[in-house]
Amino acid sequence: MSIQEYPPIENIWFYLLVVGTLISMSTYIWQFRKTPGAKSQVYAQICKCTWLLTSVLMTISPGLPHKLFWNNFLRISCILSPYFWFLFVVEISGQKAKIPITFRYCIRTIIICLILGILTNFSHKLFWRYAWLEGQILSITLGPGVWVARLTSYLLCLLATVFSIRWIFITVGLRRHQALWFAFAAMFSVIGSILNFVPSAQKIAPLPLNFLINGVLLTWGFYHWHIYNILPLSQEIVIHDMIDGLIVIDEYGYIVDLNPSALSIFSKTTSCKIGDSFTRLTTVYPELAAITNDNIITIRGTLNEHRYYRLNRTLMKTHNQCLGKIIVLKDITKQKNQQTKLIEQQKALSILTERQRLGREIHDDRAQTCHFISLELQTIHFLLNTGQIKKAITQLNQLKKIIKNINTDIRESIMGLKKQDIANCSLENNLHEYLTWYEKNRKIKTRLILPKQSIDKLLSNTAKLQLLRIIQEALTNIRKHAHAQQITVQLKHTNRQITTIIEDDGCGFNPSIVSEKDKSFGLGIMAERAKEAGGQLQIDTQPGKGTKVIVHLNTIESKVQDIENTIG
């Protein structure tokens, strides 16, 4: 039968000093409770405090029942202390996944059963059977439950040591230094527990002394490295020094954190500090009230300079509970200014290109026509002077037709130019309006066939504008040359392309004998527009069988995919 004796401790003040010190250090470590292993370490320190405090209470308690009462809590703390140290090691070292879940549940179940067994020992006597006092010394006869508890504690200490050694070998750099430091700190708790059973060592109070050294080393680890894991520290430094502004808002709408960049962004227009209500900012910047990703906010800077920021919101969720949100403000002023400048350059280039086309059309069509009219007027003047009145009247009638055709061409050009700003309106609506006007004024029946899906978002504004101008040019050519009765304009969306077919039932022509003038300034301009829009033009015609003008344009989606494939 094994008997364990508990002599009264000396230096009670030292025990109490260590308890107070450990509680203070645990309070400091608790601020890092979101860090892996911090909570387990705090719980282990509390168990050590309970261990020391119950030793003091056993010494100062007057009778056997009171001593036995505190002895039960001492045994519980002796079981829980190595358990929480084991959890601390596997969590801080990132090796928790190496332990099977069944083993974790098994250990936890054994711990719970041991605690319940100690608390109910009076009914089954498995942990201690008899207890008596010999002066101030408490003596207890141990039962089998005590040996199970000790075996469990030794097993947990052994596992913690194995994982600590493994942690040392699987890490490098700062993490290895941390592993060595905490393994070194753990040795003092083990040494103190062993020396506690040596009577000659009681004069130096080995248990509280080693607990104190262990706690100081662990707390210094938190203070020296700020936290056990270097990753959160690096994240904090990056957030503090990042160029983008960052605001953290809790679930009640208060600002709980913001980095220096965010302070700098809003300091120019309104005060903003930690603890303020977020609604103060939303009153100045309503865009922040209903923020969604990729919103853009404009903030006036110095000298009436405007800064542009793209907003990104991230919800802070844990266990299906939203604790607040994080707002990141990315400065896009430079990109915005470059984009504006690029758009202006594109507009200027587009205007210049269109002017060059109009110049060629005027020079090679209108200018030649005006020269022809001048020659006709000279002829009519000669006929009148020579008394050839009938011939002069015939020439005048022909001149009237020519001038009427010129007027028609000008009206079509003006109508086409009115349709050039289609960035904010529908291509389908523009086509429908133009074909209605064309049919009414040109007395040629038109039909528009559109796909079920709208193509407005499938083509860029440049592509839509060029396509509209190609259709207008084709219809002008049909009026001048085809002698058609009906025109069909059909748009198809197939294979990541928009195919447009302008078909007439006119006289057609032989493409092989088209004059160089038509190639350069008629069909040539249409082909040039199609190429500028990233597509191609195709002519399908035969004499007496009408004409088909076919335009193939790639959609925005296909262009983006081609770019991604090129990058990949």
Side-chain angles (χ1 to χ4, degrees), residues 510-526:
N510 188 349
S512 61
I513 59 173
V514 175
S515 67
E516 289 299 321
K517 176 183 174 181
D518 287 334
K519 285 183 180 179
S520 301
F521 303 106
L523 301 178
I525 288 179
M526 294 167 62

Side-chain angles (χ1 to χ4, degrees), residues 242-463:
M242 66 190 295
I243 298 175
D244 298 337
L246 182 140
I247 306 176
V248 181
I249 305 160
D250 65 15
E251 56 183 323
Y252 301 104
Y254 289 95
I255 299 174
V256 296
D257 193 16
L258 69 167
N259 65 350
S261 295
L263 281 171
S264 176
I265 290 170
F266 293 106
S267 63
K268 299 178 180 65
T269 53
T270 183
S271 62
C272 177
K273 61 180 182 296
I274 296 175
D276 287 348
S277 174
F278 186 61
T279 54
R280 291 188 59 186
L281 281 178
T282 59
T283 55
V284 181
Y285 302 103
E287 302 96 325
L288 295 172
I291 180 175
T292 58
N293 287 343
D294 291 335
N295 278 16
I296 294 179
I297 183 174
T298 305
I299 296 179
R300 184 182 297 276
T302 56
L303 301 176
N304 293 327
E305 176 191 5
H306 287 82
R307 308 293 298 181
Y308 301 94
Y309 297 89
R310 174 171 282 112
L311 306 180
N312 287 284
R313 181 196 64 176
T314 302
L315 297 179
M316 296 185 294
K317 290 186 177 181
T318 176
H319 302 297
N320 297 325
Q321 179 184 0
C322 183
L323 301 178
K325 57 186 175 183
I326 301 173
I327 298 176
V328 177
L329 298 93
K330 184 176 181 62
D331 192 340
I332 59 168
T333 305
K334 184 177 180 180
Q335 296 92 317
K336 192 79 173 176
N337 293 337
Q338 289 177 344
Q339 183 182 22
T340 302
K341 186 177 180 180
L342 181 61
I343 291 174
E344 291 176 354
Q345 291 175 345
Q346 289 177 340
K347 287 183 177 179
L349 180 61
S350 178
I351 292 172
L352 180 61
T353 303
E354 196 62 28
R355 283 179 176 176
Q356 289 176 345
R357 289 197 187 100
L358 289 174
R360 283 186 295 177
E361 291 178 0
I362 291 173
H363 178 271
D364 292 276
D365 188 6
R366 309 292 189 273
Q368 291 186 9
T369 303
C370 290
H371 180 68
F372 175 77
I373 290 174
S374 177
L375 293 176
E376 286 294 307
L377 287 174
Q378 292 178 17
T379 303
I380 293 171
H381 184 266
F382 173 77
L383 292 174
L384 290 174
N385 288 336
T386 57
Q388 303 180 47
I389 305 300
K390 290 184 178 181
K391 289 184 178 180
I393 293 173
T394 301
Q395 292 294 111
L396 281 173
N397 289 332
Q398 290 180 354
L399 190 59
K400 284 173 61 178
K401 291 180 180 180
I402 293 171
I403 294 174
K404 183 178 180 181
N405 289 333
I406 294 173
N407 182 56
T408 299
D409 290 343
I410 293 173
R411 287 172 61 85
E412 285 188 5
S413 297
I414 293 173
M415 186 63 184
L417 291 172
K418 286 182 178 180
K419 299 297 177 185
Q420 289 207 9
D421 185 14
I422 63 171
N424 299 316
C425 58
S426 169
L427 173 64
E428 289 96 329
N429 292 338
N430 275 284
L431 280 175
H432 180 75
E433 183 179 347
Y434 183 79
L435 291 178
T436 302
W437 174 89
Y438 184 91
E439 182 174 338
K440 180 180 179 181
N441 289 273
R442 301 294 168 255
K443 307 304 179 183
I444 301 175
K445 188 175 181 181
T446 60
R447 185 173 60 146
L448 178 62
I449 303 175
L450 298 173
K452 294 181 180 180
Q453 179 185 5
S454 174
I455 65 170
D456 276 320
K457 295 183 179 180
L458 301 178
L459 295 174
S460 64
N461 291 333
T462 300

Side-chain angles (χ1 to χ4, degrees), residues 96-240:
K96 191 174 182 179
K98 299 293 182 180
I99 304 174
I101 296 178
T102 53
F103 181 79
R104 295 183 222 166
Y105 283 129
C106 183
I107 291 294
R108 195 177 303 170
T109 303
I110 293 173
I111 296 294
I112 294 173
C113 291
L114 289 173
I115 293 173
L116 294 176
I118 292 172
L119 295 175
T120 60
N121 183 77
F122 62 88
S123 62
H124 49 71
K125 306 293 183 180
L126 291 176
F127 288 83
W128 57 270
R129 297 178 181 178
Y130 306 103
W132 63 91
L133 286 175
E134 295 180 359
Q136 292 296 322
I137 300 176
L138 173 64
S139 299
I140 296 176
T141 58
L142 303 180
V146 173
W147 299 107
V148 175
R150 287 181 177 178
L151 181 62
T152 303
S153 298
Y154 295 150
L155 175 62
L156 290 173
C157 290
L158 178 62
L159 289 174
T161 303
V162 171
F163 280 102
S164 294
I165 295 173
R166 186 177 185 273
W167 183 18
I168 295 172
F169 284 102
I170 65 175
T171 54
V172 294
L174 178 60
R175 291 290 284 166
R176 174 169 288 182
H177 293 165
Q178 293 174 347
L180 290 169
W181 182 268
F182 296 124
F184 176 69
M187 290 173 53
F188 287 92
S189 292
V190 176
I191 293 172
S193 301
I194 296 173
L195 292 178
N196 193 48
F197 293 99
V198 180
S200 60
Q202 296 305 312
K203 293 182 179 180
I204 62 172
L207 189 64
L209 178 60
N210 285 278
F211 280 179
L212 178 62
I213 296 174
N214 172 265
V216 169
L217 291 176
L218 291 174
T219 307
W220 172 253
F222 275 107
Y223 175 78
H224 181 64
W225 288 302
H226 186 61
I227 38 177
Y228 284 140
N229 197 332
I230 194 174
L231 181 59
L233 176 59
S234 63
Q235 291 173 341
E236 181 177 332
I237 294 173
V238 170
I239 289 172
H240 183 273

Side-chain angles (χ1 to χ4, degrees), residues 25-37:
M25 291 187 291
S26 298
T27 304
Y28 171 76
I29 296 175
W30 182 252
Q31 65 180 308
F32 306 105
R33 58 189 176 275
K34 293 183 179 180
T35 304

